[in-house]
Amino acid sequence: MGSAPQYRRDDGGRRRAGRWRRAALAALITGALVLPLSGAVRPETPAPAPASLAPLSASTLDEAYAVNRANAAEAARMAAAHHDRDRAATDRQLAHSRRHLLRFDGRGSGRVTEVLGDLARADRVAVLVPGSDTSLDTYGRFHAAAAALHRQLARQAPAGTRTAVVAWLGYETPGTVSTTVTTTGRAEQAAPLLRALVADLRATTGDGTRISLLCHSYGSVVCGRAAAGLAVDDIALVGSPGTGADTAAALHTRARVWAARGADDWVEHVPHLSADLFGTSVGFGTDPVSPAFGARAFAAGDVGHSEYFSPGSTSLTNLARIVLGETKAVTHD
């Protein structure tokens, strides 16, 4: 008799939690549906089909770089003829003799996989997996992040340790103001492509090279979907809305899983929920920096959502330590 009121209170608490959960998810969907109405649709710029390449290996790297630069140069000519000066300028930069492109596709929003450093001889490789609104039109910002990490690794690496960074814009990222950014759909499509990249890297560098995935924002959902059994050593999640998994153990990876969020990152206020609505999965589950998730939390300092790779930042220093395997030197809040 005395326990009956407690059951009623618990039942009421569950109902309130359920209402809050539905309201939060509805807000996510509403924002994703309404906000795009004010956005402009970018006209399609013509570009050649991606080049056909031999299977990647240390011996075919230079050929792949040359063929993809030539493809980018042709894309630049086609974009210029189409009077798309911005796209032409981006393609022209990627066609420069100093750029090392593992993959290039100038069609639509674009795909680029770029190497910074000597991949064939690298002991440590970091793969950057970007989040929403990353495309050829915004590639300069993504490349700047990869370049900052490459410089940081060169500064922090012990003598004799060779490093490389792979900037992987290998999937169609969601728009920040779109329904795609609230679901795992794009991540599901991207996961096999990320797996294929890691397989290529293993074929090129050999089993002794340690590979780390550094996954930013929605990119952490991609990494979460690709993680199971993937031959990488570390997975670092920064500015993550979640991975689609409730715990790090549920990723089914042998890699060490790390997570950090900057003090000025707005993603802290995104509800960490997951539910099936309208036939799709909305939300990404447990907050990766929470103890419940079980990742190795590390300090990111006061950075905002787009600043994790800013030179001199705590987050960049710690990310370089993770890539270099200096786990005891990684700082924590």
Side-chain angles (χ1 to χ4, degrees):
M1 293 289 292
S3 61
Q6 180 64 46
Y7 290 147
R8 285 194 293 271
R9 284 196 295 271
D10 288 349
D11 198 38
R14 283 194 294 271
R15 285 196 298 270
R16 287 192 296 273
R19 285 195 297 270
W20 182 85
R21 180 188 181 93
R22 288 191 295 273
L25 289 168
L28 281 172
I29 294 172
T30 300
L33 287 171
V34 173
L35 289 172
L37 297 178
S38 62
V41 176
R42 189 185 192 283
E44 186 86 359
T45 298
S52 297
L53 299 170
L56 277 176
S57 66
S59 63
T60 63
L61 267 181
D62 288 341
E63 177 187 357
Y65 294 158
V67 169
N68 284 313
R69 283 195 298 265
N71 190 278
E74 177 60 21
R77 287 190 289 271
M78 293 175 71
H82 193 68
H83 306 293
D84 189 338
R85 295 181 179 179
D86 291 339
R87 177 61 69 87
T90 297
D91 292 340
R92 200 174 297 116
Q93 290 169 356
L94 288 166
H96 194 281
S97 60
R98 289 196 298 268
R99 307 299 281 266
H100 293 161
L101 309 181
L102 280 182
R103 295 279 188 267
F104 176 81
D105 184 352
R107 300 171 300 177
S109 60
R111 307 286 187 278
V112 183
T113 303
E114 183 173 10
V115 175
L116 291 79
D118 188 347
L119 181 61
R121 295 178 176 82
D123 303 303
R124 304 275 178 168
V125 176
V127 179
L128 269 62
V129 181
S132 60
D133 291 330
T134 309
S135 66
L136 268 182
D137 298 315
T138 62
Y139 185 75
R141 294 198 299 268
F142 185 46
H143 178 266
L149 176 64
H150 187 230
R151 291 190 298 269
Q152 189 73 26
L153 288 171
R155 283 193 293 268
Q156 290 183 210
T161 298
R162 295 163 294 196
T163 63
V165 173
V166 178
W168 184 70
L169 176 54
Y171 77 107
E172 184 179 4
T173 67
T176 297
V177 285
S178 71
T179 53
T180 54
V181 82
T182 64
T183 73
T184 59
R186 292 286 173 87
E188 299 283 1
Q189 297 168 8
L193 304 175
L194 181 55
R195 286 176 168 275
L197 171 71
V198 172
D200 282 343
L201 295 180
R202 286 295 178 200
T204 302
T205 63
D207 292 335
T209 299
R210 299 184 70 86
I211 298 176
S212 300
L213 300 183
L214 309 187
C215 318
H216 176 244
S217 193
Y218 189 88
S220 62
V221 188
V222 176
C223 290
R225 282 293 186 261
L230 196 62
V232 297
D233 300 278
D234 292 276
I235 299 174
L237 314 169
V238 292
S240 174
T243 62
D246 289 330
T247 64
L251 296 176
H252 303 294
T253 176
R254 66 174 178 82
R256 289 172 295 213
V257 180
W258 305 79
R261 184 168 59 226
D264 292 334
D265 190 341
W266 55 260
V267 84
E268 176 183 4
H269 305 295
V270 172
H272 293 283
L273 305 167
S274 182
D276 291 328
L277 293 177
F278 310 122
T280 189
S281 179
V282 180
F284 308 116
T286 308
D287 184 350
V289 301
S290 70
F293 187 75
R296 302 182 182 209
F298 65 97
D302 295 332
V303 297
H305 190 65
S306 301
E307 299 171 338
Y308 288 94
F309 296 90
S310 296
S313 64
T314 299
S315 55
L316 182 61
T317 299
N318 276 331
L319 286 167
R321 288 168 175 157
I322 290 168
V323 173
L324 294 170
E326 299 172 350
T327 58
K328 292 182 179 178
V330 174
T331 59
H332 308 271
D333 289 325

